[in-house]
Amino acid sequence: AQSVTQPDIHITVSEGASLELRCNYSYGATPYLFWYVQSPGQGLQLLLKYFSGDTLVQGIKGFEAEFKRSQSSFNLRKPSVHWSDAAEYFCAVGGTLDDKIIFGKGTRLHILP
Amino acid sequence: GAGVSQSPSNKVTEKGKDVELRCDPISGHTALYWYRQSLGQGLEFLIYFQGNSAPDKSGLPSDRFSAERTGGSVSTLTIQRTQQEDSAVYLCASSGLDRSAQHFGDGTRLSIL
């Protein structure tokens, strides 16, 4: 069965520091992978997605993610975080463009000044 | 409007009452999704519409939940005989030809007293 695991419920980093949010998935075929961000009281915004091709994907707001098939991972990274990056981040997996998307439970990112 | 619109933004009701939640997708988007987000949980898929039909209703938690979509546009999620465990944020998303790029509304926060 499809599943997504985000092992870190909360992460705290200092402004200007680098960031890596972990995501592991379980899927029987080649997955479609996504990262979304949710600011308080708002819906989700797509940061980036992976379908095929280059395993390093660039997204909006300076984020990138790397698909590693051997590790079933799709970790999100940013070289230098800004206070405005404080939010909840969701990793998600889908099978086809018609398939429902399964979301992880999210990682809440806190930024120290 | 430019984005997905959900109403009401907040709903407080007594246990046992019926509620209707509305989603107005982005104009021209053929796919529409409903999710439920409970505190500390990820997004739980409820139902997916393609046009007016729902090929995947597998996420509806009980027969108290139903949804419809008319004219390939507005969708209504109805919860009958509400229970306290129904308290959550209900998110709607829509997508166009690129079904992976789901655009989310800001959600309806439902509180059952």
Side-chain angles (χ1 to χ4, degrees), chain A residues 38 43 49 51 97-98 100 104, chain B residues 37 42 45 98-100 105-106:
Chain A
Q38 185 179 33
K49 59 187 178 184
F51 287 168
L97 291 180
D98 288 341
K100 61 178 177 274
Chain B
Q37 185 177 26
F45 169 82
D98 180 0
R99 293 186 190 148
S100 70
D106 288 341

Side-chain angles (χ1 to χ4, degrees), chain B residues 20-109:
Chain B
E20 283 190 353
L21 311 180
R22 175 187 169 108
C23 174
D24 205 335
I26 292 173
S27 178
H29 277 191
T30 57
L32 187 147
Y33 309 79
W34 282 100
Y35 296 89
R36 178 167 71 175
Q37 185 177 26
S38 303
L39 189 64
Q41 301 294 315
L43 273 70
E44 175 188 10
F45 169 82
L46 297 178
I47 188 169
Y48 153 61
F49 285 94
Q50 178 57 36
N52 291 335
S53 65
D56 191 343
K57 304 178 182 179
S58 63
L60 293 177
S62 76
D63 59 8
R64 296 188 294 106
F65 287 71
S66 63
E68 65 175 13
R69 190 179 185 194
T70 55
S73 180
V74 172
S75 176
T76 302
L77 176 69
T78 301
I79 309 173
Q80 295 178 309
R81 305 180 303 281
T82 51
Q83 303 294 313
Q84 287 188 331
E85 62 262 28
D86 299 335
S87 296
V89 176
Y90 289 81
L91 289 165
C92 175
S94 71
S95 62
L97 293 177
D98 180 0
R99 293 186 190 148
S100 70
Q102 295 185 16
H103 298 259
F104 282 80
D106 288 341
T108 293
R109 182 174 297 279

Side-chain angles (χ1 to χ4, degrees), chain A residues 26 39 68 77 82:
Chain A
S26 173
S39 297
K68 293 187 177 180
R77 300 194 295 247
H82 186 263

